[in-house]
Amino acid sequence: MKIRTGNDIKEFNAALEKCKHPVWLMGPNDEIYNMKNEEEYIEGILRLTEGDGDQLGIFTASYEDEMTMTDFFLKMAA
């Protein structure tokens, strides 16, 4: 997943705010960012905007949060 525009960031933030549990951004080099933590969120957003952002994945702690993030990804893919 890669964030390309300011609107993408706004929609991503809206999805994160709907999530009630931790949401992690994970990469191939053992990097893990808790997107509900302000410092880690900033680092995670920077990684999502970089050229290799497509190698990152989002993981959630609950089914409801997973559905919220899935809805976001479906909007991004459309």
Side-chain angles (χ1 to χ4, degrees):
M1 176 185 86
K2 185 173 178 182
I3 300 283
R4 293 180 175 86
T5 68
N7 193 44
D8 291 349
I9 292 173
K10 288 178 187 177
E11 290 186 30
F12 182 73
N13 288 340
L16 279 177
E17 285 186 26
K18 289 179 186 176
C19 294
K20 295 178 175 82
H21 303 283
V23 176
W24 297 278
L25 176 69
M26 297 182 180
N29 297 321
D30 296 329
E31 64 257 68
I32 300 172
Y33 306 99
N34 177 351
M35 298 306 285
K36 295 287 211 164
N37 174 290
E38 187 175 344
E39 289 180 23
E40 292 183 33
Y41 166 83
I42 292 168
E43 292 176 36
I45 286 293
L46 290 173
R47 289 282 290 132
L48 282 171
T49 60
E50 294 176 350
D52 61 347
D54 292 336
Q55 297 179 15
L56 303 171
I58 293 284
F59 297 87
T60 62
S62 76
Y63 177 77
E64 292 82 11
D65 292 347
E66 181 178 342
M67 292 297 96
T68 298
M69 296 310 295
T70 298
D71 289 344
F72 166 75
F73 294 125
L74 290 173
K75 283 174 93 175
M76 291 284 293

